């Protein structure tokens, strides 16, 4: 539940839970530069992500943009909370998330994004 511990002022990475896929995932803000408004791959962008990862990333981002109710944004509570575990448990219970059954979408360990900005 690293997303819960993120500062509310830090937005380099957004954290979500997909109820349809029973999966936690995150999206880097820079990932949005890979796609056009319709989530097709931008002609001026290249990435080291695999083709499968790009397809899944575009699908998840499109669902977020369409306000898909099965995708829940994980709230940012910040570090140093005394009642962090209680708040995390409340979040899981309110959203009927079984941490034992949920998976973690883990894309490539590292990746690069190149964007040609002169066009």
């Amino acid at each position: 539940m690293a997303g819960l511990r993120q500062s509310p002022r830090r937005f380099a990475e957004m954290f979500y839970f997909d109820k349809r896929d029973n999966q936690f995932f995150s999206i880097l803000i820079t990932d949005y530069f890979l796609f056009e408004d319709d989530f097709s791959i931008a002609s001026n962008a290249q990435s080291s992500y695999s083709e499968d990862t790009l397809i899944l990333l575009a699908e998840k981002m499109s669902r977020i943009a369409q306000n898909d109710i099965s995708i829940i944004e994980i709230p940012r509570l910040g570090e140093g909370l005394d009642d962090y575990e209680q708040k995390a448990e409340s979040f899981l219970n309110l959203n009927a998330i079984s941490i034992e059954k949920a998976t973690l979408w883990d894309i490539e360990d590292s990746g690069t994004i190149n964007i040609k900005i002169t066009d």
Side-chain angles (χ1 to χ4, degrees):
M1 299 297 304
L4 286 170
R5 286 199 181 260
Q6 292 288 318
S7 167
R9 292 181 294 273
R10 184 174 171 216
F11 288 104
E13 187 173 15
M14 303 301 293
F15 298 89
Y16 300 92
F17 181 76
D18 186 341
K19 291 185 88 165
R20 183 193 75 186
D21 297 339
N22 199 31
Q23 187 173 65
F24 289 97
F25 70 98
S26 67
I27 296 179
L28 297 171
I29 295 303
T30 53
D31 290 341
Y32 281 93
F33 293 108
L34 291 170
F35 301 98
E36 300 290 348
D37 290 341
D38 65 354
F39 296 102
S40 61
I41 297 173
S43 60
N44 66 337
Q46 294 178 334
S47 172
S48 63
Y49 291 151
S50 70
E51 186 69 23
D52 288 342
T53 295
L54 287 171
I55 290 167
L56 286 170
L57 188 58
E59 186 260 341
K60 289 192 181 294
M61 292 166 73
S62 175
R63 289 175 55 211
I64 291 166
Q66 295 172 18
N67 296 314
D68 184 331
I69 61 169
S70 63
I71 293 184
I72 303 164
E73 186 173 352
I74 296 175
R76 295 165 177 269
L77 303 175
E79 295 180 20
L81 291 175
D82 293 332
D83 58 349
Y84 166 76
E85 287 184 23
Q86 182 181 15
K87 288 189 183 278
E89 189 172 327
S90 292
F91 172 78
L92 295 172
N93 289 337
L94 286 171
N95 292 290
I97 299 170
S98 170
I99 202 81
E100 292 83 21
K101 295 179 182 176
T103 61
L104 178 64
W105 184 42
D106 194 18
I107 60 174
E108 285 86 359
D109 287 339
S110 65
T112 59
I113 297 173
N114 297 310
I115 303 163
K116 188 175 179 182
I117 59 173
T118 57
D119 289 345

